[in-house]
Amino acid sequence: MIEQQQNNPLHGLGLETMLTELVAFYDWKILYASLRLECFNVNPNMAACLKFFKKTEWARERVESFYLYRFKRMPKGSSAQFELKPRERGFADGIVPRKPEELTVELIAEMRAKATADYEDMKRNEGQGRPRYGKDKPRAQEGYAQNRRSKADRPEPSQDPANPWGK
């Protein structure tokens, strides 16, 4: 029985083909502005970029995510999907890629500025009723007995230089 293949535009797509499509549609400058990878900025060429992406997994995953969500404009998945690498993600049957998103360096700069402003706004409104991830949780060290003692219960530190542990 033939197993149904994963519905993912990256399935069977080589790195060189993907990069060629991206460079042909966008340009090295737009790729650098959106991904911030120096291989697109300093002497950009196909061979150097391919060598870099084959050695650097995080950069390859960033380019693959860009290909999926900006170039092919696939729908964003759940948080469980984003824990997977881009090549391992799947999409529902019947979802087909759309036309690539038109990007310019100016548009990318505007999107970055808006994202920064949203982040700063979120940081300012952090204590106003919304959960503050990680800061509301009790710290792990508070469960230890020595951290629950009051100052009155603690023994006085030893002043004897020959016996620093007070024994």
Side-chain angles (χ1 to χ4, degrees):
M1 179 171 248
I2 298 175
E3 193 174 311
Q4 187 174 2
Q5 290 186 354
Q6 181 180 16
N7 185 17
N8 187 335
L10 294 174
H11 184 80
L13 180 69
L15 188 59
E16 185 174 5
T17 307
M18 178 177 56
L19 196 56
T20 304
E21 287 181 29
L22 288 173
V23 171
F25 188 79
Y26 298 114
D27 192 15
W28 296 109
K29 290 179 183 178
I30 292 175
L31 289 174
Y32 172 70
S34 58
L35 294 170
R36 299 288 177 136
L37 296 172
E38 284 298 320
C39 66
F40 294 140
N41 188 30
V42 179
N43 191 18
N45 63 51
M46 193 65 68
C49 288
L50 287 173
K51 183 177 180 180
F52 175 68
F53 293 138
K54 285 180 182 178
K55 289 183 175 184
T56 316
E57 186 176 348
W58 64 265
R60 182 176 58 246
E61 288 177 8
R62 187 185 291 183
V63 171
E64 288 172 350
S65 290
F66 180 82
Y67 183 85
L68 280 177
Y69 302 112
R70 293 293 170 122
F71 188 67
K72 292 294 183 179
R73 293 180 50 204
M74 297 299 283
K76 302 256 177 168
S78 64
S79 60
Q81 283 285 326
F82 276 102
E83 290 177 8
L84 298 173
K85 294 179 181 179
R87 289 198 179 264
E88 296 171 357
R89 295 178 192 158
F91 299 94
D93 288 332
I95 295 178
V96 294
R98 297 182 284 173
K99 287 184 177 180
E101 185 175 357
E102 295 288 334
L103 294 174
T104 62
V105 175
E106 295 80 21
L107 180 63
I108 293 168
E110 288 174 17
M111 290 189 309
R112 282 192 190 281
K114 183 182 180 317
T116 302
D118 290 347
Y119 177 76
E120 293 299 324
D121 187 42
M122 182 208 49
K123 293 296 277 181
R124 268 194 303 276
N125 297 330
E126 213 169 48
Q128 299 176 0
R130 295 188 315 198
R132 293 169 33 189
Y133 307 101
K135 293 184 179 178
D136 288 340
K137 296 179 184 176
R139 292 181 20 205
Q141 290 85 5
E142 291 174 358
Y144 294 118
Q146 68 266 23
N147 293 336
R148 283 187 281 172
R149 280 191 249 173
S150 67
K151 288 190 177 188
D153 296 344
R154 293 182 189 231
E156 288 293 321
S158 172
Q159 301 299 322
D160 183 11
N163 185 12
W165 290 278
K167 293 184 181 179

